[in-house]
Amino acid sequence: ELVPEGAEQYTRPVADAVDRPIIYFVASALSGINYTPDVVKRICPIDQVVAIKGTMWSLQAFDVNLKLLRSTNRGTKHHSGNDNCFFYNFVAGADGTLLMLHCVMGKHIVKMHDLVSKNDVAEARLINELYKPLVALRFARPMLEMPTHIKHVMHLRGQLENAITRPSVPLLLAANAIAKEAGKINLHNDI
């Protein structure tokens, strides 16, 4: 588990060395590092930290950090990094997203956020339901192939010339299964 002081001791010198806003990537225990609310409390008072990207893979953990940020009254933004539940993060009050899914459905994510902001949750939910197969495809097992899955979808959509990955990123082992699943989704919708 990450020691809260360690995150602060790392972030302060970085913030002092740059004159740019910082978005701090907060990950859950599933990542191997657990950015607890205590860690968030330590890094968010740092002036250049203007937002966190919460990739907690849990609605509850995301909500805990969102409430914590709101309680500081600093205006620190909370962006969802949860490709698996960003719609629900929008409903909870996420300020935006930083997702790999932006590569293939960015316009739809923005539209969902705008609809939720206007309290049209029902319409946003329809978009979320439409793209559930794509989200499931993105997280198909094995998890090490997640970046490869999205690259393959981008290739099928004509966004990339090929789906070849660089060394150490696994090649797509289940290309036929992925293509079959991708065929169920209108891959040619506007991004």
Side-chain angles (χ1 to χ4, degrees), residues 50-145:
V50 297
I52 66 169
K53 173 187 175 180
T55 306
M56 307 309 290
W57 306 109
S58 154
L59 296 175
Q60 182 181 10
F62 184 88
D63 200 44
V64 166
N65 282 336
L66 181 65
K67 287 177 181 168
L68 185 142
L69 288 178
R70 298 297 188 257
S71 74
T72 67
N73 293 317
R74 274 199 72 236
T76 307
K77 305 293 184 194
H78 194 6
H79 299 297
S80 175
N82 297 316
D83 295 73
N84 63 328
C85 59
F86 64 90
F87 164 72
Y88 301 100
N89 294 159
F90 286 160
V91 173
D95 296 298
T97 56
L98 292 167
L99 306 170
M100 191 176 282
L101 284 173
H102 282 283
C103 296
V104 293
M105 59 177 285
K107 288 180 183 177
H108 300 285
I109 293 169
V110 170
K111 185 173 181 181
M112 287 172 63
H113 184 265
D114 290 347
L115 288 165
V116 171
S117 297
K118 295 174 187 170
N119 291 320
D120 193 348
V121 176
E123 187 68 25
R125 185 184 307 275
L126 290 175
I127 297 170
N128 186 59
E129 292 300 316
L130 178 68
Y131 279 91
K132 270 189 177 177
L134 180 61
V135 174
L137 175 65
R138 160 80 167 83
F139 291 100
R141 302 282 181 191
M143 294 296 275
L144 286 175
E145 291 184 359

Side-chain angles (χ1 to χ4, degrees), residues 104 134 137-138 148-159 163 178 182 185 187:
V104 293
L134 180 61
L137 175 65
R138 160 80 167 83
T148 311
H149 292 164
I150 209 76
K151 194 167 187 178
H152 192 71
V153 170
M154 292 173 73
H155 171 65
L156 290 171
R157 291 185 65 163
Q159 291 172 261
I178 297 298
I185 306 162
L187 294 173

